[in-house]
Amino acid sequence: MQASANVEVAQRRRDQYATAIALACMAAALPMLLAFNLPPSATYFNQVASLLGWGAWMSHPTSSSSRTPALHKDVAAYVTLGLLIVVVGLPSVLDAQPWALALSAAALVASAALVVALGNVASRNGLGSSMFLALCVAFLIAGLASCVIGIIQVYLPTWADGDLIARSSVVGRSVGNLRQPNHLCSLLLWSIVAALWLGEAQFLRRALAIVFAGLMLFVVVLSGSRSGGLGALLLAFWGLLDRRRARSTRVALLLAPLAYGFFWIGATAWAPRGAHAFGGAGRFSATGDISSSRFGIWSNTLDLIRTHPWFGVGFGEFNFAWTLTEFPNRPVAFFDHTHNLPLQLAVELGLALAALVLATLGWALWRAARNCMLPPDPDEVASPQRAAFVMVLLVLMHSLLEYPLWYAYFLLPTAFLLGLCVAGPTRCVVAAAPAPHVQVQAMSVRIASLVLMLGAAYSIYDYFKVVVIFAPPDNASPLAERIA
């Protein structure tokens, strides 16, 4: 009888893992791998897939089971997102922006708040490690698939058909199916952390995890993204500070910058000997603009902040204000974002409100960092908090040079990871079972996730009204009628 009961429990746990991994792949892997798109947005379907996937994951009973609310203890992250929701809607209240733009932006920020709650409650209910493991598996799948895609884009570009494998817009650089080298770089850095943590959690053999990490670091080099070098340094810093990692994992992390440099030199030397180009060969050259016009746009942004210090130019209005303002040192490149998170908040929200948002975000990060210093649950196979915090730091580092958090497929995983970190180390056993009953809070999360999925589905219907303007069918009406 006891043996039969143990077999039944083991089977139930395997089913829970399979379900969690499948949902995580829908939420985190699939949006990173979609290549199909319709104009005008090259990443719309990736973003709507992310919203649908995270909505499905939040609505599943295993994810939203709840024993204790306890969300008031981690108020900083929610205050940050609540402030953003208010300021996103403020321009529409003042009739300075159409409601449709404000509602879409506010809905995305509200979705991030829901996912923060998901990570927070999951950790407090003993599901943190199991859900983080599922997310790491999804990142690993996305990372390995993106390696194949990136290698094809550089070495076999004729194989990229544009529907299953995106064509690279920059010769000799891998861009993945997200079509941006920097986005591919951030995804692969996350995947490296995921692979190494899965080795620590004994889900993978550590040697295999290190091999996967090396392959993904090579494709980071093929992306030509200079933020990959900074990411390799951050990985080494993690290996230096975190003495809880296995020796082989720490050595791999410490060698990441050296491996990055070796791969870069090798790819540069190999390119002239093969029938391909390496687009990253001159990316660190001092002869060109190493900032890719970022210094120019940051200078323009500071000028706009000086002229609009208190209330900013309005949320989402940076491009409009920058385009219509005369600057003696305007960059030639087109910019719709400052490529720096603090500057973007300051120029659009004003200094006071931006400082308040950044202060609450800083407080949440401090709580997360402090929780990483606490001793983990002794029953835990591998604590997820530190690896999750490194992932948050990687995307925040990227946010100082780009704007990944303006894309749902980066924003929502970051929100989940932050929610997991601020909850702190609790009894998150990898094989933990969900709570036996569902309370009001869990039901509220499920209802909100259903609303999220319905809104995302409706946006697809709405998007095709725009597609017909840019990609009309054979029997399309005249342009003026399509626009109307």
Side-chain angles (χ1 to χ4, degrees), residues 125-182:
N125 292 339
L127 297 169
S129 285
S130 57
M131 292 187 68
F132 183 70
L133 185 146
L135 188 63
C136 285
V137 171
F139 282 145
L140 180 63
I141 292 172
L144 292 176
S146 294
C147 284
V148 175
I149 293 167
I151 290 172
I152 288 174
Q153 288 169 336
V154 173
Y155 297 115
L156 299 165
T158 56
W159 289 20
D161 62 350
D163 290 328
L164 292 177
I165 299 177
R167 298 183 181 92
S168 178
S169 57
V170 187
V171 176
R173 294 179 66 184
S174 57
V175 298
N177 278 352
L178 297 177
R179 291 178 168 81
Q180 292 194 46
N182 287 315

Side-chain angles (χ1 to χ4, degrees), residues 249-424:
T249 303
R250 292 190 68 199
V251 170
L253 288 169
L254 289 169
L255 292 178
L258 292 178
Y260 180 89
F262 174 79
F263 289 146
W264 193 285
I265 293 170
T268 303
W270 188 16
R273 293 171 172 79
H276 63 273
F278 173 46
R283 295 286 288 166
F284 286 100
S285 173
T287 58
D289 179 12
I290 195 171
S291 75
S292 300
S293 298
R294 285 177 179 80
F295 293 155
I297 196 63
W298 291 342
S299 175
N300 293 167
T301 302
L302 291 174
D303 289 340
L304 282 174
I305 292 173
R306 279 191 285 268
T307 56
H308 303 81
W310 299 114
F311 301 104
V313 299
F315 187 87
E317 298 294 326
F318 168 75
N319 172 256
F320 185 76
W322 176 70
T323 301
L324 298 183
T325 303
E326 293 185 5
F327 296 104
N329 58 342
R330 176 186 293 274
V332 177
F334 172 81
F335 283 92
D336 57 358
H337 196 282
T338 67
H339 289 63
N340 181 277
L341 178 59
L343 284 179
Q344 184 75 17
L345 294 175
V347 74
E348 291 194 344
L349 308 184
L351 292 175
L353 196 51
L356 183 58
V357 171
L358 290 172
T360 55
L361 176 60
W363 175 247
L365 290 173
W366 168 247
R367 278 188 56 87
R370 189 180 63 180
N371 288 337
C372 289
M373 304 301 173
L374 298 176
D377 187 335
D379 296 331
E380 213 167 20
V381 175
S383 174
Q385 266 76 26
R386 293 192 176 191
F389 188 61
V390 170
M391 290 181 176
V392 172
L393 292 181
L394 283 168
V395 79
L396 289 180
M397 178 198 69
H398 189 187
S399 297
L400 298 178
L401 303 169
E402 288 285 338
Y403 50 106
L405 296 179
W406 265 248
Y407 295 85
Y409 43 79
F410 281 118
L411 175 64
L412 299 185
T414 302
F416 173 80
L417 295 168
L418 182 60
L420 194 68
C421 291
V422 297

Side-chain angles (χ1 to χ4, degrees), residues 172-195:
R173 294 179 66 184
S174 57
V175 298
N177 278 352
L178 297 177
R179 291 178 168 81
Q180 292 194 46
N182 287 315
H183 285 193
L184 174 63
C185 176
S186 285
L187 165 61
L188 291 176
L189 289 171
W190 272 358
S191 301
I192 289 170
V193 176

Side-chain angles (χ1 to χ4, degrees), residues 416-447:
F416 173 80
L417 295 168
L418 182 60
L420 194 68
C421 291
V422 297
T426 55
R427 296 194 60 82
C428 307
V429 182
V430 170
H437 61 280
V438 178
Q439 296 182 347
V440 175
Q441 176 182 303
M443 184 59 67
S444 301
V445 170
R446 291 190 201 174
I447 293 173

Side-chain angles (χ1 to χ4, degrees), residues 191-208:
S191 301
I192 289 170
V193 176
L196 294 176
W197 186 84
L198 289 172
E200 293 282 295
Q202 302 175 11
F203 187 87
L204 289 176
R205 292 184 180 275
R206 283 181 185 149
L208 183 60

